[in-house]
């Protein structure tokens, strides 16, 4: 049975249609497998080869991948939520209640969106700690750490802007307090507060601005920086592995040389 | 024939360098202009926010020695022995709405625990400033009006209104 499936798949890979889409032909040589990664628009950001050791759970705890997973869940649940949500006051609150109690699977989608958001913030921090304690932020990977910090800020801003959208008391006061924190910036604080809310208080303008930030600007920024983040992993020599770092290798070579001379 | 590297004016700028500078200069000016336009666009010129002037109704609604919170407008109307006055009910810390605690005789903020006297003076808490006093007056119809956009000195003679 498996053999038949393999054969059909092999035949499919020979077809002109398949070749025109995926370019690389059949076969499982190292070159062919590398080409599959390199010639795919989504996968070309990644290294064409990865050490087996780096694919084990203990190497990374898959924290970065899991963060991407939660982000994809948030996109996949957020778009359907947008179909029932009007970013206007006070309609937004009624729409949120409709999503919770009237729309089929609305409660499931909304809760999935909410829990994934919490999980994403947690995973981003866990990912940062793992990278930090493994020392994987060190040169030549220091710039990817900086991009990671930008992604952390985007994640927190996504959380913050999403907080206002239900338009309930919790949202209103959380954003009132949060935006007043922005006013504490010296000199331009009040200006930032005014531009962020599109007014002097949290009202319809603020709701619309937060909606656009939450559904459009911040997700696009996140995708842009995530793409660079992944591409830099390849450019910076793959995932950090202490045993094959140049410094470790050099130390080992010196160690064995010393042993030989003795 | 002038030196190839020098321009027709005899300076050190070649034609290519001149156009590069001209192009980059134009782009810079356009970028600054775009930034200015974007900033102006993001700043609303017309705000459909409630008027800062609040009509608090007839003064005799407020009995002597009472503190009344107007939840929707974020102000207290206080009738003291010296007269009527109004202070902001918005905490000076992070903008939460405070509440008058009759049993304790003070104003308290539910968010981070700031406490104020009836006169707006800070007792304790993270709030950096006292609650500001607002301008009050009686209009021709005999209604008590409060201008939330105008702060007046606390406890000053003119900051009270007497009926």
């Amino acid at each position: 049975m498996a053999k038949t499936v393999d054969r059909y798949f092999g035949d499919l890979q020979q077809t002109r249609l398949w070749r025109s889409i995926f370019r690389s032909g059949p076969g499982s040589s190292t070159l062919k497998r590398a080409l599959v990664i390199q010639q795919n628009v989504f996968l070309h950001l990644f290294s064409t080869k990865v050490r087996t050791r780096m694919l084990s759970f203990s190497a990374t705890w898959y924290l970065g991948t899991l963060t991407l997973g939660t982000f994809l869940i948030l996109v996949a649940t957020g778009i359907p939520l947008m179909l029932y949500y009007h970013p206007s006051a006070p309609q937004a609150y009624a729409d949120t209640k409709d999503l919770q109690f009237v729309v089929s699977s609305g409660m499931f989608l909304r809760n999935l969106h909410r829990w994934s958001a919490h999980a994403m913030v947690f995973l981003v921090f866990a990912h940062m700690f793992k990278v930090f304690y493994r020392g994987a932020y060190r040169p030549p990977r220091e710039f990817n750490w900086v991009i990671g910090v930008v992604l952390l800020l985007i994640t927190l801003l996504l959380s913050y802007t999403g907080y206002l959208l239900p338009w309930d008391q919790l949202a209103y006061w959380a954003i009132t307090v949060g935006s007043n924190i922005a006013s504490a910036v010296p000199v331009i604080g009040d200006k930032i507060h005014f531009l962020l809310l599109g007014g002097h208080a949290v009202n319809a303008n603020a709701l619309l601005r937060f909606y656009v930030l939450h559904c459009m600007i911040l997700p696009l920024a996140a995708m842009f920086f995530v793409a660079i983040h992944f591409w830099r992993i390849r450019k910076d020599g793959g995932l950090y592995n202490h045993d094959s770092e140049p410094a470790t290798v050099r130390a080992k070579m010196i160690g064995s040389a010393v042993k030989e001379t003795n | 024939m002038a030196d190839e590297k020098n321009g027709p004016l005899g300076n050190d700028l070649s034609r290519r360098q001149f156009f590069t500078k001209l192009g980059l200069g134009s782009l810079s000016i356009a970028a600054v202009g775009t930034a200015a336009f974007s900033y102006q666009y993001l700043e609303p010129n017309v705000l459909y926010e409630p008027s800062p002037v609040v009509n608090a109704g007839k003064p005799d609604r407020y009995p002597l020695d009472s503190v009344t919170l107007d939840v929707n407008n974020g102000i207290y109307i206080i009738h003291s022995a010296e007269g009527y006055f109004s202070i902001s009910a918005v905490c000076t810390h992070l903008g939460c709405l405070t509440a008058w605690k009759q049993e304790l005789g003070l104003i308290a903020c539910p968010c981070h625990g700031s406490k104020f006297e009836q006169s707006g003076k800070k007792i304790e808490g993270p709030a950096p400033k006292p609650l500001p006093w607002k301008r009050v007056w009686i209009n021709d119809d005999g209604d008590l009006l409060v201008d939330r956009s105008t702060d007046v000195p606390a406890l000053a003679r003119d900051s009270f209104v007497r009926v």
Side-chain angles (χ1 to χ4, degrees), chain A residues 9-261:
Chain A
F9 189 61
D11 288 347
L12 183 67
Q13 286 182 311
Q14 305 271 20
T15 60
R16 195 172 158 191
L17 180 69
W18 183 278
R19 293 296 301 272
S20 69
I21 297 169
F22 297 103
R23 302 185 72 87
S24 56
S28 58
S29 67
T30 312
L31 174 66
K32 288 282 182 198
R33 285 192 290 168
L35 284 175
V36 167
I37 303 293
Q38 199 209 347
Q39 294 181 340
N40 183 300
V41 71
F42 299 108
L43 301 179
H44 83 279
L45 291 168
F46 300 105
S47 310
T48 48
K49 286 184 190 178
V50 178
R51 287 183 191 87
T52 323
R53 152 93 184 89
M54 298 316 295
L55 292 177
S56 68
F57 177 74
S58 62
T60 57
W61 294 354
Y62 303 151
L63 291 169
T65 311
L66 287 170
T67 309
L68 176 71
T70 52
F71 180 75
L72 294 177
I73 292 172
L74 286 162
V75 172
T77 54
I79 292 170
L81 287 174
M82 285 167 77
L83 298 179
Y84 281 101
Y85 179 86
H86 304 78
S88 60
Q91 182 67 30
Y93 179 66
D95 288 343
T96 309
K97 281 187 112 174
D98 268 8
L99 274 167
Q100 195 78 8
F101 300 113
V102 177
V103 178
S104 304
S105 303
M107 190 192 278
F108 176 76
L109 280 176
R110 181 163 179 246
N111 288 356
L112 193 55
H113 196 76
R114 181 188 164 83
W115 286 107
S116 300
H118 287 309
M120 186 175 168
V121 173
F122 174 80
L123 286 166
V124 164
F125 276 104
H127 177 51
M128 271 182 91
F129 280 117
K130 178 79 177 165
V131 167
F132 184 80
Y133 287 122
R134 289 177 70 239
Y137 59 88
R138 285 190 290 240
R141 296 176 178 80
E142 73 271 39
F143 187 66
N144 219 10
W145 173 269
V146 174
I147 294 169
V149 172
V150 171
L151 283 166
L152 167 71
L153 292 176
I154 292 175
T155 306
L156 295 179
L157 282 173
L158 275 163
S159 261
Y160 178 65
T161 51
Y163 210 169
L164 181 63
L165 303 186
W167 202 243
D168 53 7
Q169 285 293 314
L170 184 67
Y172 181 86
W173 291 107
I175 302 310
T176 298
V177 167
S179 59
N180 270 317
I181 293 173
S183 306
V185 174
V187 188
I188 54 167
D190 284 336
K191 207 85 220 175
I192 295 174
H193 182 255
F194 185 69
L195 286 175
L196 186 66
L197 298 184
H200 298 294
V202 178
N203 55 29
N205 276 5
L207 179 60
L208 194 55
R209 284 191 183 208
F210 275 52
Y211 176 77
V212 173
L213 280 169
H214 186 77
C215 301
M216 191 77 203
I217 298 171
L218 292 170
L220 284 178
M223 286 177 203
F224 178 75
F225 282 103
V226 163
I228 301 175
H229 200 57
F230 287 7
W231 176 76
R232 282 298 296 225
I233 297 171
R234 176 173 67 129
K235 288 293 168 184
D236 295 341
L239 292 169
Y240 177 85
N241 178 12
H242 180 74
D243 292 338
S244 57
E245 286 300 294
T248 317
V249 173
R250 221 178 298 127
K252 267 189 202 155
M253 283 168 69
I254 293 166
S256 57
V258 169
K259 220 177 254 174
E260 272 169 34
T261 44

Side-chain angles (χ1 to χ4, degrees), chain A residues 176 180 191 199-200 203 209, chain B residues 39 42-43 47 49 94-96:
Chain A
T176 298
N180 270 317
K191 207 85 220 175
H200 298 294
N203 55 29
R209 284 191 183 208
Chain B
Y39 176 79
L42 289 173
E43 211 178 47
L47 288 174
E49 292 180 344
L94 289 171
C96 290

